[in-house]
Amino acid sequence: MGQGSGQVRGGPVPDALPAAVRPAGPSAHAAIDLEALLADAVRAPGGCSVRFLPELERLVESLNSQARLTTGGAAAVVEGLRTALTRPVQLRMLRSAVPAIAHIEPAPVFITGLPGSGAGLLHNLLAEHPAVDAPTLWELAEPVARAAGPREFRALIGRGRAAAESGSQSLHGRPAGLLRTATRPGGCSWLLGNAFQSVAFALRWRVPGYADGLAAGSMTEAYHFHREQLQAICHRIPGPAPLLRDPFHAGRLGDLFDVYPSARVIVVHHDPVRTVTATAGISHALRGAGSDGGDPRETGREWTGRIERQLVASEVARRNLPGGRILDVRHADLVGAPTSEVRRVLAFMGVEQVPVVEGNVAELAARTMRAANRSVPFRPAEFGISRGALAGRFAFYRERYGL
């Protein structure tokens, strides 16, 4: 599907709209035709899968009724959903051709921390160590593609670069996504998104109904598919225990440990005023690229409530987990003494720090923080966020982690 030069509020409109897109009109937003989407996906090589059809149905219903999509935004959604529909089939074909993939037993280390917490920075600092395997954005965006040589790898990296750039344009000049490139560590929300079960959808689109339903149900099956895709990634480029990151794993620790019983989790904490503001800011910017935007204060209220519920769910889940499986990291410690904090995290992972890596860690941390200081921060007032109100509302969390 080629990209044309037509431009409307909410992003470019393709030369030829997918059949699954119902264009916006004078009095209606664009919408997605689920039957047409499925019919189109069936025509892909190998066809498509309905393994997660109920979850797709809930997502599309919320997109159509709540997201206020532009025509360009709906076309972008359809392209992503169509790709996700083909992933289970592609994975099944790959596992049939390479049976050894099903016998790989990944024991990942997960990093989780809300946007603005420093989780992305920590992920990148740890990836400086040669004994740490942190799958890159392109690997996670293309989890089941086979690459037989340099040409195929370059093509996959090129598609990853396009994915990285599409998410960065809306955040240009802001202190978010500063380390988002195709060849740097990526987020594993790509893998959950292929099961249509990721809070990342709510970050990019206004889909509160979908997000509320997701929070109320089990994501165990989505994490099983996450694991199946991770097996394929680990087979394509073998390495030690993979290091993965998603800002919203903390709210699903029970499901995560059900599927990955030997996993270890690193949770990065920061002042909720900062993380709620950053999440609302990123969400409002991303949504504006494919919808009519909406009220930033509404976005602030939505994420204040959603983050509060996630933090509570995380604390409840942690009561039932075995000791020694979770490491807490404070943002202040990470940015105040990055080399010593990275050394502590590596010890938790069972990896010994080496002097040359400490120099790389210090240089990358300093460079990233300089870039963040040059950017325009999101302000709580932009999103109707009151520092005083949040201080009281999140007092349990601030006291628990000394924030």
Side-chain angles (χ1 to χ4, degrees):
M1 183 175 64
Q3 292 296 316
S5 59
Q7 185 79 25
V8 295
R9 173 173 168 75
V13 178
D15 291 325
L17 284 176
V21 174
R22 295 200 295 266
S27 59
H29 294 101
I32 299 166
D33 186 322
L34 181 57
E35 290 188 7
L37 170 63
L38 292 170
D40 183 41
V42 165
R43 291 191 289 271
C48 73
S49 168
V50 293
R51 177 176 177 180
F52 299 105
L53 183 58
E55 292 78 14
L56 174 61
E57 290 173 335
R58 286 194 289 271
L59 176 58
V60 169
E61 191 284 327
S62 197
L63 285 163
N64 285 343
S65 63
Q66 298 177 312
R68 302 186 283 237
L69 295 172
T70 63
T71 300
V77 173
V78 164
E79 182 178 356
L81 297 181
R82 180 184 181 277
T83 298
L85 276 165
T86 65
R87 291 296 191 225
V89 175
Q90 294 169 351
L91 181 59
R92 186 165 62 246
M93 293 168 63
L94 179 61
R95 288 162 67 101
S96 177
V98 189
I101 290 175
H103 300 290
I104 294 173
E105 293 292 342
V109 178
F110 291 95
I111 298 175
T112 186
L114 292 164
S117 67
L121 173 62
L122 177 60
H123 195 189
N124 280 269
L125 296 180
L126 292 169
E128 292 294 301
H129 200 294
V132 172
D133 178 23
T136 60
L137 187 151
W138 78 261
E139 293 177 78
L140 293 159
E142 299 285 346
V144 298
R146 302 181 71 177
R151 179 178 299 179
E152 289 83 0
F153 274 112
R154 284 196 294 270
L156 291 176
I157 292 170
R159 293 207 291 270
R161 186 175 296 113
E165 291 172 353
S166 70
S168 299
Q169 291 172 354
S170 301
L171 298 168
H172 180 70
R174 294 290 198 168
L178 296 175
L179 295 169
R180 181 183 168 90
T181 67
T183 53
R184 280 207 163 274
C188 61
S189 57
W190 290 95
L191 307 185
L192 293 172
N194 287 333
F196 311 110
Q197 295 173 69
S198 172
V199 184
F201 285 119
L203 200 63
R204 181 170 287 275
W205 309 105
R206 182 182 179 275
V207 285
Y210 161 82
D212 291 345
L214 191 66
S218 169
M219 283 182 57
T220 301
E221 186 60 25
Y223 275 103
H224 276 296
F225 190 48
H226 179 288
R227 181 179 179 277
E228 292 165 20
Q229 294 170 90
L230 183 59
Q231 289 175 312
I233 292 170
C234 292
H235 177 268
R236 183 171 57 196
I237 305 180
L243 177 66
L244 303 169
R245 172 176 54 90
D246 185 294
F248 305 109
H249 281 319
R252 311 301 311 211
L253 291 176
D255 296 328
L256 186 153
F257 277 101
D258 281 347
V259 176
Y260 291 107
S262 61
R264 286 161 289 173
V265 177
I266 302 157
V267 186
V268 187
H269 306 278
H270 196 12
D271 180 354
V273 173
R274 299 294 186 91
T275 54
V276 171
T277 299
T279 308
I282 292 168
S283 184
H284 188 67
L286 292 176
R287 291 175 181 183
S291 72
D292 68 4
D295 183 353
R297 293 167 298 181
E298 176 190 17
T299 306
R301 289 192 297 271
E302 175 188 343
W303 282 107
T304 298
R306 200 167 303 291
I307 288 173
E308 182 181 30
R309 292 189 291 274
Q310 169 168 315
L311 296 178
V312 170
S314 177
E315 292 304 308
V316 171
R318 290 181 66 154
R319 297 172 190 165
N320 300 315
L321 299 177
R325 307 297 293 282
I326 295 180
L327 178 71
D328 294 300
V329 173
R330 296 192 311 167
H331 176 272
D333 299 327
L334 177 63
V335 301
T339 55
S340 60
E341 197 65 3
V342 165
R343 191 183 310 119
R344 185 173 75 94
V345 175
L346 287 171
F348 171 74
M349 296 171 61
V351 176
E352 184 178 353
Q353 182 61 293
V354 293
V356 66
V357 172
E358 289 201 338
N360 295 343
V361 165
E363 194 278 330
L364 177 59
R367 188 171 71 243
T368 304
M369 285 185 272
R370 285 195 299 269
N373 290 335
R374 290 193 300 267
S375 62
V376 180
F378 296 111
R379 305 288 185 187
E382 295 179 64
F383 308 100
I385 294 171
S386 163
R387 291 180 180 273
L390 258 63
R393 193 165 174 177
F394 290 89
F396 76 96
Y397 176 70
R398 296 165 66 98
E399 293 169 7
R400 173 83 164 80
Y401 297 103
L403 303 174

